[in-house]
Amino acid sequence: MKAAILMMGMAAFATTAEASDSKSSFPRMAPPLVRETVLPLAIYTDEVLFGSVWARPELSPRDRSLITVAALVAGSHANQTRGHTNRGLDNGIEPEAFGEILAHLTTFTGPDSSRAVLPVMKEVFAERDLDASSLDEAMAALPEAGADLWQRPGLTQRDRSIVTVAAMIAGTRPDELAGHLDRAMDEGLTEAEAGEIVTHLAFYTGWPNAMTAVPVLRAVFDERGEASGG
């Protein structure tokens, strides 16, 4: 009896989701496999993640792409990196910047994560007729960069800071996050933007990672407020 009730409930839920999906005016961003297998997740992806979160004005589309790519690289998520490399290029990230993201994060998340997504980025560049040599050049130059890593062209100081902040959130590294968040704010990141980075990355790194970052933000905000006499 319980099994029958459960099956009826699942069927009703699926019917409701299908009806909602058929009436949705949001662009379909979820992969076909997700829509065919877990329709409610596809609707959530279309309407909440891409329809709402990505449209919020607190961060520019370029900044959102930077932190998303950084979080995916930090987690070695090659499959998702493909779509977000394309989206990042569409949102104004320069082709040369992708190699710098990989090289920069090698210092903070290790070379394996950057190497895991490198072939995917090369494929995207090839599909778009872009020169992918900058990807290899940035990675090859890393051993010689040393302390000059933060000074390399291709990413601004603010870019490098928010890329690092995103990687710290993805890796649940609150102790290191504090220093890099403080540095990002020295480079012009506002409290509202910092909060939006955490909000955005909750959808890509998980709510536990985002919630772990919140006390760090609060502490950094308070310390900076006290230092400025606020």
Side-chain angles (χ1 to χ4, degrees):
M1 182 64 177
K2 291 182 179 179
I5 294 174
L6 178 61
M7 292 298 294
M8 290 174 62
M10 292 176 65
F13 181 75
T15 300
T16 302
E18 289 170 2
S20 175
D21 190 46
S22 65
K23 296 177 181 178
S24 176
S25 61
F26 291 92
R28 294 194 169 191
M29 304 298 296
L33 178 62
V34 175
R35 192 170 304 280
E36 295 165 4
T37 310
V38 189
L39 181 57
L41 178 58
I43 296 172
Y44 186 79
T45 300
D46 296 344
E47 298 184 6
V48 178
L49 178 55
F50 287 101
S52 178
V53 174
W54 274 85
R56 287 167 57 86
E58 286 80 0
L59 282 176
S60 70
R62 183 180 181 276
D63 280 351
R64 290 186 186 276
S65 282
L66 277 173
I67 62 174
T68 304
V69 170
L72 295 176
V73 171
S76 301
H77 298 300
N79 289 337
Q80 286 179 287
T81 300
R82 178 184 302 279
H84 283 288
T85 298
N86 272 306
R87 190 176 184 91
L89 289 164
D90 291 341
N91 284 339
I93 299 179
E94 302 78 4
E96 296 78 9
F98 284 92
E100 289 301 318
I101 292 171
L102 295 182
H104 186 89
L105 289 182
T106 295
T107 303
F108 296 99
T109 62
D112 290 345
S113 59
S114 293
R115 289 171 184 156
V117 303
L118 179 59
V120 172
M121 285 188 176
K122 285 183 175 181
E123 290 174 8
V124 172
F125 275 43
E127 291 164 2
R128 297 175 69 122
D129 293 324
L130 296 172
D131 182 4
S133 62
S134 60
L135 297 173
D136 288 320
E137 288 170 1
M139 293 289 287
L142 180 63
E144 302 174 5
D148 295 330
L149 176 67
W150 285 81
Q151 307 302 323
R152 287 170 54 85
L155 290 173
T156 67
Q157 295 289 297
R158 182 181 178 280
D159 288 343
R160 290 186 183 276
S161 284
I162 66 172
V163 162
T164 309
V165 165
M168 296 301 101
I169 294 172
T172 321
R173 294 158 65 177
D175 292 341
E176 294 168 85
L177 171 60
H180 288 293
L181 177 61
D182 195 47
R183 180 171 186 157
M185 297 185 75
D186 285 344
E187 296 296 336
L189 189 75
T190 66
E191 290 188 4
E193 290 172 332
E196 193 65 17
I197 287 175
V198 175
T199 301
H200 183 96
L201 291 181
F203 291 83
Y204 289 95
T205 67
W207 255 251
N209 292 49
M211 293 301 182
T212 300
V214 171
V216 179
L217 265 66
R218 182 71 272 160
V220 171
F221 294 170
D222 289 347
E223 289 171 7
R224 292 178 69 88
E226 292 171 3
S228 64

